[in-house]
């Protein structure tokens, strides 16, 4: 088994305003997905990041410049991640496909952890 | 907190109910002028649940979790604004994280009095109640009121601006002011119920929930000593009787069933008993309200063991009273129907034909359908067919249309 990181990308901003009923439905869907990953023993971890653009640090003229994120050319940010295990990229992508994040307008970047 | 609590901890409608409860508490803290801020805090609170619960599992006491997060988000907001407007952090001790029914009742009623202020207009009152007190979404409200989400959103924004301009306070009014403002509250609950009752006839389960909410609010109003008037009990009685029939109204293939066709064993006996208990309390009132008469009429149906043993004489009397109090198209039509059973179709038809001068009846499908029904009973099948034809030209929901089309066809078969 290999480990993969699913980066959850989303558009900058707060997204559509949902009613409490809709928020609950979405929450339940994500929970059910995470529960299934846990039951299959695949879920290695996960976190959600605060819904703000963050900061970007880069070296500039011998010192470090700190600017508001995200990178200037992008309109999206990483909203969180799940770490899962799978046999290969194919399986990792199939798993990512089942994540409700895609259904709600987000994008997922799948990356394999470095193995020795 | 449990290790990865499952979704089964999340009972149906939890977020919606907590949204109403938290809105009431937060509005007490922030004041009615800042309802938009209250809504932002709620939005952030549910977003926090979406962010945490899939990873941590559902908390063992989700309602308390949401309350604690809402409290912190509200505090953050105030701290950020502290330079503009100093605030007393101790106030937040007044926001209980645990459930406390008495405070909930007071807060919810105070919020209802804000939402149903007479200066806001009837539509806005009902919409604002649905949004803030009941936690429904703008889309749900738009469906019930057959309008666009944008229109509802604009109406709500305007109402919230009015609340700020009017400087409404967060309290249950007393004395003469209470007597003046309670009718609007009851009216909004009544509209909520009828909105759910008619729109809920399709497969729109959320909108059908409006009825359940209206019943809950009517119960709530009758639980508080300040608002438990005879009129309030009469409203609670009416809604109990009506809602008791809810599951019997829809047939196996989703079609509407008339009273005569309903399986009365499906009626909710417990709710009917509650209706009678409220009706008893309602009788202590000095004045007779429209709700008293409507509840009385609903009680006649509720206490008939089958359609044929309905006390039509009494029902006709109630409708005659109602015609005096509230001469709307619907009431006058129902009065004619009651007459048909009490005194026969011939007299009912005369009564109905007197209404045809009323322009509101022209494109009211039920008027023409009822005429068709009476004509059919009198053996005048050609005229009945024409009346059903007119009914089909009026705006109708799909189940209604199918029903009336069947009746129209049956006229042809007999003649």
């Amino acid at each position: 088994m290999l480990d993969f990181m699913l980066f959850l990308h989303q558009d900058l901003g707060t997204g559509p305003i949902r009613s409490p009923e809709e928020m609950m439905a979405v929450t339940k869907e994500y929970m059910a997905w995470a529960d299934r990953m846990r039951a299959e023993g695949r879920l290695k971890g996960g976190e959600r990041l605060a819904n703000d653009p963050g900061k970007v640090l880069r070296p500039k003229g011998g010192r470090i410049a700190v600017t508001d994120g995200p990178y200037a050319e992008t309109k999206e940010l990483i909203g969180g991640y799940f770490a899962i295990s799978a046999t290969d990229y194919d399986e990792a992508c199939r798993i990512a496909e089942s994540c409700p994040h895609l259904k709600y307008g987000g994008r997922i970047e799948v990356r394999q952890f470095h193995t020795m | 907190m449990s290790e990865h609590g499952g979704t089964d901890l999340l009972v149906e409608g939890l977020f919606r109910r907590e949204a109403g409860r938290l809105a009431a508490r937060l509005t007490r803290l922030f004041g009615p002028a800042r309802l938009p801020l209250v809504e932002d805090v709620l939005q952030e609170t549910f977003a926090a649940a979406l962010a945490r619960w899939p990873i941590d599992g559902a908390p063992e006491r989700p309602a308390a979790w949401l309350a604690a997060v809402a409290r912190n988000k509200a505090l953050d907001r105030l701290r950020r604004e502290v330079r503009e407007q100093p605030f007393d952090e101790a106030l937040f001790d007044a926001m209980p994280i645990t459930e406390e029914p008495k405070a909930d009742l007071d807060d919810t009623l105070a919020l209802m009095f804000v939402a149903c202020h007479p200066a806001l207009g009837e539509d806005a009152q009902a919409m604002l109640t649905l949004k803030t007190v009941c936690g429904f979404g703008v889309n749900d409200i738009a469906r019930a009121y057959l309008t666009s989400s944008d229109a509802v959103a604009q109406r709500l924004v305007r109402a919230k601006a009015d609340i700020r301009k009017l400087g409404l306070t967060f309290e249950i009014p007393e004395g003469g002011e209470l007597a003046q403002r309670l009718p609007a509250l009851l009216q909004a609950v009544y509209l909520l119920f009828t909105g759910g009752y008619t729109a809920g006839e399709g497969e729109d389960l959320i909108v059908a929930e409006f009825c359940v909410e209206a019943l809950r609010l009517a119960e709530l109003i009758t639980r508080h000593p300040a608002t438990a008037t005879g009129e309030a009990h009469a409203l609670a009685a009416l809604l109990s009787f009506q809602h008791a029939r809810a599951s019997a109204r829809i047939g196996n293939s989703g079609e509407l069933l008339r009273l005569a066709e309903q399986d009365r064993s499906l009626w909710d006996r417990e709710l009917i008993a509650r209706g009678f208990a409220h009706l008893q309390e309602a009788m202590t009132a000095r004045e007779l309200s429209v709700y008293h008469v409507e509840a009385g009429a609903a009680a006649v149906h509720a206490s008939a063991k089958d359609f044929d043993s309905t006390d039509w004489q009494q029902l006709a009397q109630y409708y005659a009273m109602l015609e005096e109090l509230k001469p709307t198209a619907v009431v006058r039509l129902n009065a004619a129907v009651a007459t048909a059973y009490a005194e026969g179709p011939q007299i009912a038809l005369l009564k109905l034909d007197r209404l045809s001068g009323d322009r509101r009846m022209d494109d009211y499908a039920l008027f023409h359908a009822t005429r068709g029904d009476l004509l059919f009973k009198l053996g005048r099948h050609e005229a009945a067919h024409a009346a059903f034809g007119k009914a089909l030209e009026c705006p109708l929901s799909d189940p209604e249309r199918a029903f009336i089309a069947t009746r129209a066809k049956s006229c042809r078969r007999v003649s």
Side-chain angles (χ1 to χ4, degrees):
Chain A
M1 277 295 202
L2 303 168
D3 288 338
F4 292 85
M5 191 73 131
L6 311 187
F7 291 104
L8 310 179
H9 293 264
Q10 63 193 52
D11 283 335
L12 220 74
T14 49
I17 292 186
R18 295 183 211 279
S19 71
E21 196 91 26
E22 290 164 332
M23 285 299 281
M24 180 153 158
V26 180
T27 303
K28 275 177 122 168
E29 260 185 85
Y30 273 91
M31 287 175 75
W33 184 83
D35 283 349
R36 208 165 60 240
M37 294 299 114
R38 256 181 227 112
E40 291 173 12
R42 305 184 176 281
L43 194 67
K44 302 293 158 194
E47 267 308 329
R48 289 294 299 191
L49 305 177
N51 191 24
D52 66 47
K55 302 282 179 191
V56 176
L57 277 67
R58 12 168 125 68
K60 197 176 178 185
R63 55 185 194 91
I64 305 290
V66 181
T67 55
D68 285 343
Y71 291 102
E73 60 277 16
T74 179
K75 286 187 172 56
E76 62 176 41
L77 50 83
I78 297 174
Y81 69 85
F82 287 111
I84 55 134
S85 57
T87 47
D88 52 24
Y89 258 113
D90 276 355
E91 195 186 32
C93 286
R94 270 204 308 282
I95 289 162
E97 256 176 60
S98 69
C99 180
H101 191 70
L102 295 169
K103 187 175 154 190
Y104 293 105
R107 291 161 294 279
I108 298 178
E109 179 185 350
V110 182
R111 299 284 302 275
Q112 189 188 328
F113 278 74
H114 190 273
T115 46
M116 292 300 167
Chain B
M1 199 168 282
S2 69
E3 166 100 340
H4 306 319
T7 52
D8 50 336
L9 281 169
L10 307 182
V11 291
E12 209 50 54
L14 173 82
F15 279 20
R16 191 174 62 64
R17 271 193 304 280
E18 292 310 313
R21 201 208 300 262
L22 291 171
R25 288 186 199 169
L26 291 168
T27 310
R28 178 176 293 287
L29 295 173
F30 287 115
R34 304 178 80 193
L35 260 181
L37 176 66
V38 168
E39 286 176 357
D40 285 352
V41 167
L42 285 178
Q43 192 74 21
E44 286 175 20
T45 301
F46 293 122
L50 172 55
R52 293 310 327 168
W53 295 4
I55 291 159
D56 301 339
E60 241 168 87
R61 293 167 56 233
W65 190 98
L66 292 169
V69 171
R71 184 181 184 276
N72 290 338
K73 301 259 175 215
L75 263 175
D76 282 352
R77 285 292 188 127
L78 286 179
R79 288 200 188 104
R80 254 183 281 158
E81 293 176 5
V82 77
R83 247 170 272 155
E84 294 164 38
Q85 204 172 356
F87 78 102
D88 180 7
E89 234 174 272
L91 249 181
F92 272 79
D93 296 337
M95 183 170 171
I97 289 178
T98 52
E99 271 133 74
E100 201 201 310
K102 170 72 177 74
D104 269 351
L105 181 58
D106 282 354
D107 286 356
T108 303
L109 279 175
L111 185 58
M112 283 182 82
F113 273 108
V114 169
C116 301
H117 193 278
L120 299 180
E122 268 176 27
D123 265 7
Q125 289 168 13
M127 286 179 186
L128 207 53
T129 304
L130 283 166
K131 178 78 175 16
T132 57
V133 182
C134 309
F136 286 106
V138 166
N139 296 347
D140 308 325
I141 300 171
R143 281 203 306 281
Y145 284 86
L146 305 175
T147 180
S148 69
S149 299
D150 283 346
V152 173
Q154 278 169 22
R155 196 72 200 83
L156 288 170
V157 166
R158 211 155 10 119
K160 281 176 268 186
D162 288 342
I163 287 172
R164 202 186 51 225
K165 269 181 261 163
L166 291 162
L168 299 190
T169 50
F170 192 79
E171 63 197 350
I172 298 170
E174 291 175 353
E177 206 200 336
L178 177 70
Q180 214 178 19
R181 286 179 57 189
L182 188 57
L185 211 74
L186 301 180
Q187 168 85 355
V189 172
Y190 181 84
L191 286 178
L192 222 92
F193 188 86
T194 48
Y197 204 69
T198 39
E201 276 160 5
E203 275 139 40
D204 203 331
L205 292 175
I206 296 274
V207 174
E209 277 281 297
F210 285 14
C211 293
V212 179
E213 273 300 297
L215 195 57
R216 181 180 76 87
L217 294 180
E219 283 284 342
L220 216 82
I221 292 169
T222 56
R223 269 213 306 277
H224 197 286
T227 50
T229 61
E231 195 178 359
H233 276 293
L235 175 65
L238 170 62
L239 302 194
S240 302
F241 290 136
Q242 299 284 38
H243 197 60
R245 298 202 290 264
S247 52
R249 282 176 75 222
I250 311 289
N252 289 333
S253 38
E255 78 278 18
L256 287 181
L257 296 181
R258 293 177 298 174
L259 264 173
E261 302 156 341
Q262 291 178 9
D263 175 359
R264 297 192 176 207
S265 70
L266 294 177
W267 288 6
D268 185 338
R269 292 290 143 194
E270 215 169 295
L271 200 50
I272 289 175
R274 275 211 69 73
F276 278 110
H278 279 300
L279 202 56
Q280 189 108 40
E281 294 286 332
M283 293 313 166
T284 60
R286 263 171 304 171
E287 283 183 20
L288 199 64
S289 68
V290 171
Y291 305 126
H292 280 89
V293 184
E294 285 194 50
V300 170
H301 287 304
S303 50
K305 72 172 190 303
D306 51 47
F307 188 71
D308 291 332
S309 54
T310 307
D311 186 345
W312 294 106
Q313 298 292 346
Q314 205 191 346
L315 206 58
Q317 277 171 22
Y318 277 128
Y319 274 110
M321 280 159 89
L322 207 51
E323 269 190 288
E324 299 271 311
L325 290 167
K326 188 177 149 185
T328 63
V330 184
V331 167
R332 302 183 74 184
L333 187 63
N334 278 323
V337 174
T339 310
Y341 287 104
E343 300 171 58
Q346 187 72 56
I347 293 172
L349 191 62
L350 282 174
K351 213 170 166 185
L352 214 57
D353 283 341
R354 277 207 298 278
L355 293 181
S356 41
D358 188 334
R359 304 239 351 234
R360 285 172 300 180
M361 297 293 175
D362 281 353
D363 54 0
Y364 186 37
L366 276 182
F367 171 73
H368 299 294
T370 307
R371 270 197 85 235
D373 188 50
L374 293 173
L375 288 163
F376 187 85
K377 282 201 176 96
L378 292 166
R380 295 165 60 186
H381 297 134
E382 271 308 310
H385 186 267
F388 284 126
K390 269 194 178 166
L392 289 171
E393 288 167 19
C394 303
L396 281 168
S397 71
D398 290 345
E400 286 170 333
R401 183 169 301 281
F403 176 75
I404 293 172
T406 313
R407 297 294 317 268
K409 260 188 223 140
S410 70
C411 298
R412 286 293 189 221
R413 260 206 308 280
V414 183
S415 53

